[in-house]
Amino acid sequence: MANPGENSVSGKPPMSPWKKGALVVAVLAVPCLTAVAGGAFYFISRRYPAQDQALSNEARVNVLRLCSDVQSYRDEHGVFPAAGPVPKDVPRGGKAVPYEPDENLKNIGFEPGERVRYQYQVVVQETPLGQAEVTCFARGDLDGDGQVSVFSVTLDENGMTSPVKVEREEE
């Protein structure tokens, strides 16, 4: 029978109080760290819901596709067409509405799907140098609060596109 303070495994010295304390701290630290990480994940996911991020990506992809379709149209026909806005009103509350393109969007060949959560538009302006500059827009109000998020890409006369510019992405 082992004496108190001795290790029951034969030939092993007893565990020092420092090692016992370190073991207790390690065992308690894991659940605490898990709780902190879980809480951080919870608050981050509430601030940036996955659905809103997916919908923002939908707008980014579609506005780039729209500008690409406009450039393809220009390559074939020699002009940049203005188009939209379609749908006429900005969709609210993240609800998908039917996509019914106007004549120019049909001619461009832009097809984001049967239902959209963003309004799409192509605006053609003249630069101070007399060259055409195209801006493609995607606008939406995912949370329905009246604040509209705007995704835009600019296409210049040479076919160069800007990075996607975003205003109020979380709206």
Side-chain angles (χ1 to χ4, degrees):
M1 186 119 203
N3 292 334
E6 284 187 19
N7 194 335
S8 61
V9 177
S10 61
K12 298 268 184 172
M15 188 182 286
S16 74
W18 289 104
K19 285 184 180 178
K20 286 180 184 176
L23 181 62
V24 169
V25 168
V27 168
L28 293 176
V30 170
C32 290
L33 290 174
T34 303
V36 170
F41 176 77
Y42 173 76
F43 287 111
I44 290 171
S45 65
R46 284 185 50 118
R47 175 73 175 120
Y48 301 105
Q51 180 183 11
D52 288 354
Q53 290 175 351
L55 296 178
S56 294
N57 287 338
E58 173 187 321
R60 289 174 193 276
V61 168
N62 282 339
V63 78
L64 285 166
R65 182 184 303 149
L66 177 57
C67 263
S68 175
D69 291 347
V70 168
Q71 180 60 41
S72 295
Y73 183 90
R74 180 190 177 251
D75 291 344
E76 283 184 39
H77 303 283
V79 295
F80 286 120
V86 171
K88 189 144 186 80
D89 296 319
V90 173
R92 306 251 184 242
K95 293 186 174 106
V97 298
Y99 174 72
E100 298 168 358
D102 65 9
E103 194 62 34
N104 282 349
L105 284 171
K106 284 181 189 174
N107 293 340
I108 293 168
F110 179 64
E111 298 175 5
E114 291 181 12
R115 301 180 67 77
V116 295
R117 290 179 177 85
Y118 290 89
Q119 176 191 68
Y120 296 97
Q121 183 178 17
V122 178
V123 175
V124 181
Q125 298 176 328
E126 191 172 303
T127 67
L129 299 174
Q131 296 179 327
E133 181 179 80
V134 176
T135 306
C136 301
F137 292 99
R139 298 181 192 92
D141 180 8
L142 297 180
D143 60 8
D145 69 352
Q147 293 279 334
V148 177
S149 57
V150 180
F151 297 77
S152 63
V153 174
T154 303
L155 177 66
D156 70 15
E157 186 74 25
N158 300 316
M160 300 297 292
T161 58
S162 70
V164 178
K165 296 177 194 134
V166 183
E167 299 173 31
R168 296 179 300 278
E169 183 169 3
E170 292 87 29
E171 296 299 327

